[in-house]
Amino acid sequence: MSPTTLDRLPDTVVLQPGEALRAALDPATWLEMLEGRALLVSPPSWFGETVFTAKTVLNEGDVHRLERGGWIELSALAPVRLRVHAQARQQTAAVRPAEPRPVMRLVRLLTGS
């Protein structure tokens, strides 16, 4: 089964075994595993001259904080119910309207959409 890619995540994500979710998340986003077990592939990063991704197994009750923003992939190993906690944005009336998340803004620039 091919992964599902979402621009905006719902508060709670439900996946069945074998399903995967790809999403662009901002730094300091928290992933809370309410149920199940999943494999999380972190956003790519550089180590010297090599690009790598870290893989983490998340079990029921685990909470994972993303230090860096970017594309993650979450593959369900058992039925999953996951809550995504994005950092709240502060706005003032004098500031122009909120722009899309930085990662999605970059994706839109690169894809021309």
Side-chain angles (χ1 to χ4, degrees):
M1 179 172 266
S2 65
T4 302
T5 302
L6 297 176
D7 180 11
R8 293 185 185 267
L9 286 176
D11 288 338
T12 304
V13 175
V14 176
L15 297 172
Q16 296 304 315
E19 291 182 330
L21 170 73
R22 287 186 186 145
L25 300 177
D26 290 332
T29 298
W30 293 83
L31 304 175
E32 177 185 5
M33 289 291 292
L34 301 174
E35 292 177 17
R37 185 171 182 202
L39 177 66
L40 173 68
V41 179
S42 70
S45 61
W46 288 94
F47 184 73
E49 296 181 10
T50 305
V51 175
F52 75 96
T53 58
K55 295 180 181 179
T56 306
V57 174
L58 300 176
N59 293 301
E60 185 172 325
D62 287 350
V63 176
H64 182 82
R65 181 176 185 262
L66 295 172
E67 295 296 326
R68 293 175 281 94
W71 285 93
I72 59 118
E73 182 171 316
L74 187 78
S75 302
L77 303 173
V80 166
R81 222 169 43 100
L82 169 85
R83 183 166 292 145
V84 179
H85 302 276
Q87 186 173 2
R89 295 179 180 246
Q90 296 180 352
Q91 280 189 320
T92 61
V95 179
R96 61 187 174 156
E99 294 184 23
R101 298 183 323 215
V103 173
M104 291 311 301
R105 192 170 53 244
L106 175 61
V107 169
R108 287 187 180 96
L109 285 171
L110 293 173
T111 60
S113 58

